[in-house]
Amino acid sequence: TGHYPPFTTVLPSAAPPRIDVPVSGSKSYTNRALVMASLAPGRTVLRGVSPSTDSTAMCEALERFGVRTVSLGDDTLQVDAPD
């Protein structure tokens, strides 16, 4: 048996976190990042995204659910989740 507290209180953050997570430019990682960005409130900027046909299809599918994706040039996408 450990000496852990019986529970831990987690308080909401006062502001959204700003996190940079480097990932490879594979289409699988890009599609996973697109789904996560579409579920996060507000705006997410993804860098190092794959320009694959699969990733383009994922953007088109997410847009049908109200997610807005905008290419910011090179390998960067802006993802705006619906309110």
Side-chain angles (χ1 to χ4, degrees), residues 6-79:
F7 63 90
T8 301
T9 302
V10 178
L11 301 174
S13 174
R18 176 161 172 79
I19 301 170
D20 291 325
V21 180
V23 295
S24 74
S26 82
K27 66 181 178 181
S28 295
Y29 287 159
T30 294
N31 284 345
R32 291 174 190 151
L34 284 166
V35 170
M36 288 188 286
S38 73
L39 295 173
R43 175 170 291 163
T44 302
V45 176
L46 301 175
R47 292 179 182 84
V49 299
S50 167
S52 72
T53 303
D54 288 354
S55 298
T56 300
M58 178 63 79
C59 287
E60 292 170 358
L62 291 172
E63 288 174 1
R64 291 181 181 194
F65 288 101
V67 176
R68 185 170 176 255
T69 62
V70 178
S71 174
L72 299 179
D74 295 330
D75 59 355
T76 304
L77 276 178
Q78 174 181 302
V79 182

